Amino acid sequence: MQNRILGLHHITAIANNAKRNLDFYSQVLGLRLVKKTVNFDDPGTYHFYFGNETGTPGTILTFFPWEGIGSGTNGSGLATHIGYSVPKGSLEFWKNRLQQFNVNVVEGEIFGEKLISFKDPDGLQLQFIESSTPDDRKVWTTDDIKDENGLKGFHNVTLTLKKAGPTIKVLTDILGYDLQKQEGERYRFATDAIDTANLIDIIENDTIPTGRNAAGTNHHIAFRVKNDDILMEYREKVMAAGLSITPKIDRDYFYSLYFREPGGVLFEIATDNPGFTVDEPLNELGQNLKLPKEHEGLREKIEEVLPKLS
């Protein structure tokens, strides 16, 4: 089982303001800031990682907060909705809490699972879902958000596509997902290699305009593998399917490959190793600015240009 895709590793989105983004996810939603680093390709921009206590794969939502980038447009060719698993009975708590922060909440249901939908300050579409399957992942708690309400981690992610067929082929033939359910234009795919963060939904609708990446949209989604040996096995599978894929990239906390699936969504495959405690102890995660070794010599200049967070 371990040489399979183990569901979602992380999801990376774009924000317009670093402080506002940090405050919303750490204070309003109660996630732990697991890592405060920079965009390796643009070190004047933060890269925030939010998750549970250890930043377990399947709980990690990351952001590039590019100051003043402006709003993007959710649409076809993007991962449009992020679904978090929340404890049974907690939706009323979240509805009330979000409304206290002037966040508009819509109640709904998908495939028999109750949920609330809302947008973060940049317009990123989030869904809190009471999963129909058991989820025993340990939550990160705060003074305001306790065990009975805390976010468990990802439940699913939704891709919006003009044509689903070619993307479905990637999910099933390469990544090992199977069709679980379909209702109208919505498909749900699952992998049984893991019990949580293991769902990909697809909305197929050729009338939805193409999305544009900027603040309030998802940059990419990352699938999880155990280690870099398995990572490279998947590189061969992707290449054999005729898709272009990057060489292995060291992201300090995991190793990655990137490829764009036929529907336009940027996919990543990322490893569990080495994890977020490789450069700071568990009790200090997210407290200090961590730089990749190639940028450490520029620390003083980078700290001067990064936005203020307090």
Side-chain angles (χ1 to χ4, degrees), residues 71-86:
S71 297
T73 306
N74 247 322
S76 178
L78 294 177
T80 50
H81 303 72
I82 297 168
Y84 272 96
S85 172
V86 298

mmCIF file of all heavy atoms in Angstrom, residues 71-86:
data_model
loop_
_atom_site.group_PDB
_atom_site.id
_atom_site.type_symbol
_atom_site.label_atom_id
_atom_site.label_comp_id
_atom_site.label_asym_id
_atom_site.label_seq_id
_atom_site.Cartn_x
_atom_site.Cartn_y
_atom_site.Cartn_z
ATOM 1 N N SER A 71 -7.219 40.552 -7.235
ATOM 2 C CA SER A 71 -8.082 39.374 -7.189
ATOM 3 C C SER A 71 -7.981 38.541 -8.452
ATOM 4 O O SER A 71 -7.974 39.073 -9.559
ATOM 5 C CB SER A 71 -9.537 39.795 -6.983
ATOM 6 O OG SER A 71 -9.699 40.447 -5.743
ATOM 7 N N GLY A 72 -7.938 37.240 -8.255
ATOM 8 C CA GLY A 72 -8.048 36.309 -9.365
ATOM 9 C C GLY A 72 -9.500 35.985 -9.636
ATOM 10 O O GLY A 72 -10.409 36.552 -9.033
ATOM 11 N N THR A 73 -9.703 35.039 -10.543
ATOM 12 C CA THR A 73 -11.059 34.621 -10.895
ATOM 13 C C THR A 73 -11.147 33.110 -10.817
ATOM 14 O O THR A 73 -10.434 32.404 -11.537
ATOM 15 C CB THR A 73 -11.420 35.064 -12.324
ATOM 16 O OG1 THR A 73 -11.212 36.468 -12.455
ATOM 17 C CG2 THR A 73 -12.866 34.730 -12.645
ATOM 18 N N ASN A 74 -11.984 32.612 -9.918
ATOM 19 C CA ASN A 74 -12.197 31.177 -9.870
ATOM 20 C C ASN A 74 -12.943 30.738 -11.122
ATOM 21 O O ASN A 74 -13.821 31.445 -11.614
ATOM 22 C CB ASN A 74 -13.008 30.808 -8.628
ATOM 23 C CG ASN A 74 -12.179 30.012 -7.642
ATOM 24 O OD1 ASN A 74 -11.382 29.171 -8.039
ATOM 25 N ND2 ASN A 74 -12.362 30.284 -6.367
ATOM 26 N N GLY A 75 -12.581 29.585 -11.652
ATOM 27 C CA GLY A 75 -13.248 29.117 -12.848
ATOM 28 C C GLY A 75 -12.650 27.834 -13.362
ATOM 29 O O GLY A 75 -11.894 27.146 -12.667
ATOM 30 N N SER A 76 -12.964 27.526 -14.589
ATOM 31 C CA SER A 76 -12.519 26.287 -15.199
ATOM 32 C C SER A 76 -10.998 26.222 -15.280
ATOM 33 O O SER A 76 -10.325 27.216 -15.518
ATOM 34 C CB SER A 76 -13.119 26.175 -16.604
ATOM 35 O OG SER A 76 -12.685 25.010 -17.241
ATOM 36 N N GLY A 77 -10.457 25.021 -15.049
ATOM 37 C CA GLY A 77 -9.021 24.826 -15.105
ATOM 38 C C GLY A 77 -8.323 25.055 -13.790
ATOM 39 O O GLY A 77 -7.087 25.067 -13.734
ATOM 40 N N LEU A 78 -9.102 25.210 -12.712
ATOM 41 C CA LEU A 78 -8.522 25.434 -11.388
ATOM 42 C C LEU A 78 -9.138 24.476 -10.375
ATOM 43 O O LEU A 78 -10.233 23.947 -10.569
ATOM 44 C CB LEU A 78 -8.779 26.873 -10.917
ATOM 45 C CG LEU A 78 -8.118 28.006 -11.691
ATOM 46 C CD1 LEU A 78 -8.561 29.352 -11.112
ATOM 47 C CD2 LEU A 78 -6.594 27.890 -11.663
ATOM 48 N N ALA A 79 -8.414 24.287 -9.273
ATOM 49 C CA ALA A 79 -9.013 23.697 -8.075
ATOM 50 C C ALA A 79 -9.803 24.820 -7.414
ATOM 51 O O ALA A 79 -9.221 25.802 -6.956
ATOM 52 C CB ALA A 79 -7.943 23.162 -7.149
ATOM 53 N N THR A 80 -11.111 24.715 -7.389
ATOM 54 C CA THR A 80 -11.940 25.863 -7.022
ATOM 55 C C THR A 80 -12.445 25.850 -5.588
ATOM 56 O O THR A 80 -12.781 26.910 -5.053
ATOM 57 C CB THR A 80 -13.155 25.970 -7.960
ATOM 58 O OG1 THR A 80 -13.804 24.696 -8.025
ATOM 59 C CG2 THR A 80 -12.733 26.400 -9.350
ATOM 60 N N HIS A 81 -12.536 24.697 -4.943
ATOM 61 C CA HIS A 81 -13.077 24.615 -3.587
ATOM 62 C C HIS A 81 -12.202 23.703 -2.730
ATOM 63 O O HIS A 81 -11.868 22.588 -3.152
ATOM 64 C CB HIS A 81 -14.504 24.047 -3.572
ATOM 65 C CG HIS A 81 -15.484 24.814 -4.407
ATOM 66 N ND1 HIS A 81 -15.476 24.791 -5.784
ATOM 67 C CD2 HIS A 81 -16.506 25.628 -4.042
ATOM 68 C CE1 HIS A 81 -16.469 25.549 -6.238
ATOM 69 N NE2 HIS A 81 -17.102 26.071 -5.205
ATOM 70 N N ILE A 82 -11.887 24.158 -1.526
ATOM 71 C CA ILE A 82 -11.151 23.356 -0.555
ATOM 72 C C ILE A 82 -12.121 22.905 0.528
ATOM 73 O O ILE A 82 -12.771 23.734 1.162
ATOM 74 C CB ILE A 82 -10.008 24.166 0.082
ATOM 75 C CG1 ILE A 82 -8.974 24.582 -0.974
ATOM 76 C CG2 ILE A 82 -9.328 23.354 1.191
ATOM 77 C CD1 ILE A 82 -7.984 25.600 -0.469
ATOM 78 N N GLY A 83 -12.213 21.602 0.735
ATOM 79 C CA GLY A 83 -13.102 21.059 1.754
ATOM 80 C C GLY A 83 -12.330 20.572 2.963
ATOM 81 O O GLY A 83 -11.434 19.725 2.841
ATOM 82 N N TYR A 84 -12.651 21.111 4.138
ATOM 83 C CA TYR A 84 -12.073 20.659 5.402
ATOM 84 C C TYR A 84 -13.035 19.733 6.118
ATOM 85 O O TYR A 84 -14.244 19.973 6.144
ATOM 86 C CB TYR A 84 -11.797 21.849 6.326
ATOM 87 C CG TYR A 84 -10.446 22.490 6.157
ATOM 88 C CD1 TYR A 84 -10.286 23.611 5.346
ATOM 89 C CD2 TYR A 84 -9.332 21.992 6.823
ATOM 90 C CE1 TYR A 84 -9.050 24.210 5.201
ATOM 91 C CE2 TYR A 84 -8.085 22.588 6.680
ATOM 92 C CZ TYR A 84 -7.947 23.697 5.870
ATOM 93 O OH TYR A 84 -6.723 24.286 5.727
ATOM 94 N N SER A 85 -12.513 18.706 6.728
ATOM 95 C CA SER A 85 -13.288 17.835 7.594
ATOM 96 C C SER A 85 -13.390 18.470 8.980
ATOM 97 O O SER A 85 -12.384 18.888 9.558
ATOM 98 C CB SER A 85 -12.596 16.472 7.701
ATOM 99 O OG SER A 85 -13.204 15.655 8.677
ATOM 100 N N VAL A 86 -14.623 18.547 9.500
ATOM 101 C CA VAL A 86 -14.850 19.078 10.845
ATOM 102 C C VAL A 86 -15.635 18.051 11.652
ATOM 103 O O VAL A 86 -16.340 17.208 11.082
ATOM 104 C CB VAL A 86 -15.594 20.431 10.835
ATOM 105 C CG1 VAL A 86 -14.769 21.486 10.111
ATOM 106 C CG2 VAL A 86 -16.975 20.302 10.200
#
